[in-house]
Amino acid sequence: MKRVKQKRARKLGDGYPVPRVFRRKAHGKKSARLLIKCGDCDEKFEIYYGPDSEDLEIAGVLASVENWRKILLPLLKKPARQEMEYRPFDEYLAERAKRDR
């Protein structure tokens, strides 16, 4: 049995492994494709796209770019800042008076 040299997983500052991305141009009847592999294991999925970039097939699911945008963009946006809950002003003044003693 042939031994395979294992690559070390690269990690960024956040501690997650860096995904590996491979691109293939369209040729003949084969569509252009992005192959995305996990940074520390052999899991992978493929994204196929047409020459007009009007539709995408991600992991076997075909949909328009607009549909994918509606699905994926909320996941990629930063969460909104949570609104702070303020306590009544009288409680704040009473607590501050206790601290100042």
Side-chain angles (χ1 to χ4, degrees):
M1 185 180 234
K2 187 176 180 181
R3 288 188 152 192
V4 177
K5 185 176 180 182
Q6 295 288 326
K7 288 187 176 182
R8 292 185 89 180
R10 294 185 342 186
K11 295 187 180 186
L12 294 178
D14 57 3
Y16 290 103
V18 178
R20 297 171 287 161
V21 180
F22 303 93
R23 289 175 170 79
R24 180 180 75 190
K25 293 181 180 179
H27 45 88
K29 290 187 176 183
K30 292 187 178 182
S31 298
R33 159 191 99 178
L34 286 176
L35 175 66
I36 301 173
K37 291 186 175 183
C38 181
D40 61 351
C41 66
D42 291 330
E43 294 293 321
K44 64 183 177 182
F45 73 95
E46 298 171 327
I47 300 174
Y48 290 97
Y49 54 95
D52 301 331
S53 298
E54 294 176 2
D55 56 353
L56 290 173
E57 180 185 334
I58 299 178
V61 179
L62 181 65
S64 69
V65 173
E66 289 302 317
N67 287 340
W68 283 118
R69 193 170 281 135
K70 288 177 188 175
I71 295 168
L72 297 175
L73 275 182
L75 296 173
L76 299 174
K77 288 184 179 179
K78 290 184 179 180
R81 282 184 59 187
Q82 293 180 350
E83 291 188 26
M84 295 181 68
E85 293 182 18
Y86 292 101
R87 58 185 168 204
F89 190 64
D90 297 333
E91 288 180 21
Y92 169 73
L93 290 177
E95 184 179 313
R96 187 171 174 187
K98 288 180 185 176
R99 274 190 287 159
D100 291 341
R101 289 185 190 175

